[in-house]
Amino acid sequence: MMALASEEDSKSAKKMKSTSHSGIPEAVFLEDVDAFMQKPENADPTAVVQRLDEQHNKYKFMELNLLQKKKRLRSQIPDIKNTLEIVQHMRSKQGSGEEMDTQFLLADQVYAKASIPPSERVCLWLGANVMLEYTIEDAESLLTSNLSAARESLLQVDTDLDFLRDQYTTTEVNMARVYNYGVKKRQGAQSAS
């Protein structure tokens, strides 16, 4: 859609693109379809509709990616919360000398009972076959920052999804207006002949 905008619109869209909305290009609403279609690159309404359709498909693809990211973040946040609660519980037991009884998940629906002596260190599974040992305080700090980052990312994804929906709605309206322009042009050519 950026190629379809005027130079001024293109510059302002590039500014907006770089400052927000995760690189999603802004769809420019066609105020004056007649003036837009008079440009040499827009001589064929069918080609313009095709370009707009391609842009619409790109927006739909971006939406699919953002929805997958949102789903992933929504599943990560409860996991991070649970891990943080466990680390905080371990910190509360640190000075007492009491063993902590727990159950470890070995496989789906398979648990093992264990008694854990108080410890000043904890191992966190970071994913991608990586586990690191941290002090309890460092683990709590890391999990707290990860939780806030995941929440911020989720808010950004929601904002980007709202912006994206506006962009493909604008693109759909532009497609309809250009298509109607082409129909009127063909009707005018038929009545003139």
Side-chain angles (χ1 to χ4, degrees):
M1 189 64 188
M2 298 303 289
L4 299 176
S6 68
E7 278 188 36
E8 279 185 289
D9 292 337
S10 180
K11 287 178 185 174
S12 67
K14 284 180 185 174
K15 283 181 189 174
M16 228 179 136
K17 177 178 155 183
S18 64
T19 58
S20 64
H21 304 298
S22 303
I24 300 168
E26 183 177 14
V28 179
F29 179 71
L30 300 178
E31 291 287 337
D32 187 1
V33 177
D34 291 330
F36 177 76
M37 295 304 291
Q38 297 306 316
K39 295 179 182 178
E41 67 270 13
N42 300 331
D44 181 20
T46 306
V48 174
V49 170
Q50 276 183 318
R51 288 194 319 245
L52 289 169
D53 188 45
E54 287 173 12
Q55 187 66 35
H56 185 263
N57 289 336
K58 288 177 186 176
Y59 285 138
K60 288 293 191 178
F61 180 73
M62 288 180 215
E63 180 186 36
L64 179 65
N65 288 334
L66 285 172
L67 288 171
Q68 289 173 346
K69 184 176 181 179
K70 182 177 181 175
K71 183 179 178 182
R72 188 180 71 248
L73 285 169
R74 283 197 166 173
S75 70
Q76 283 178 345
I77 289 173
D79 289 343
I80 295 171
K81 277 184 187 177
N82 290 339
T83 306
L84 181 59
E85 288 172 7
I86 291 168
V87 168
Q88 288 171 339
H89 181 70
M90 288 178 72
R91 186 170 47 94
S92 71
K93 295 282 188 178
Q94 218 171 9
S96 69
E98 293 178 35
E99 287 190 346
M100 190 170 75
D101 293 327
T102 187
Q103 295 180 355
F104 284 102
L105 179 66
L106 297 177
D108 288 340
Q109 306 298 323
V110 179
Y111 292 88
K113 288 185 180 183
S115 292
I116 303 170
S119 174
E120 299 202 9
R121 304 192 82 51
V122 64
C123 292
L124 295 179
W125 182 259
L126 301 179
N129 295 326
V130 176
M131 182 180 278
L132 291 177
E133 185 177 7
Y134 292 93
T135 64
I136 299 240
E137 292 76 20
D138 288 343
E140 189 174 4
S141 172
L142 175 71
L143 290 168
T144 302
S145 67
N146 286 354
L147 183 60
S148 70
R151 286 178 174 156
E152 287 175 20
S153 290
L154 187 59
L155 288 173
Q156 182 63 43
V157 166
D158 285 336
T159 302
D160 289 344
L161 279 169
D162 289 343
F163 178 76
L164 193 56
R165 287 183 188 111
D166 289 343
Q167 301 321 297
Y168 67 70
T169 299
T170 300
T171 304
E172 289 169 350
V173 170
N174 287 342
M175 287 169 62
R177 295 181 79 204
V178 169
Y179 179 80
N180 289 341
Y181 173 87
V183 169
K184 286 181 185 177
K185 186 176 174 183
R186 284 190 297 275
Q187 287 175 346
Q190 285 178 350
S191 65
S193 50

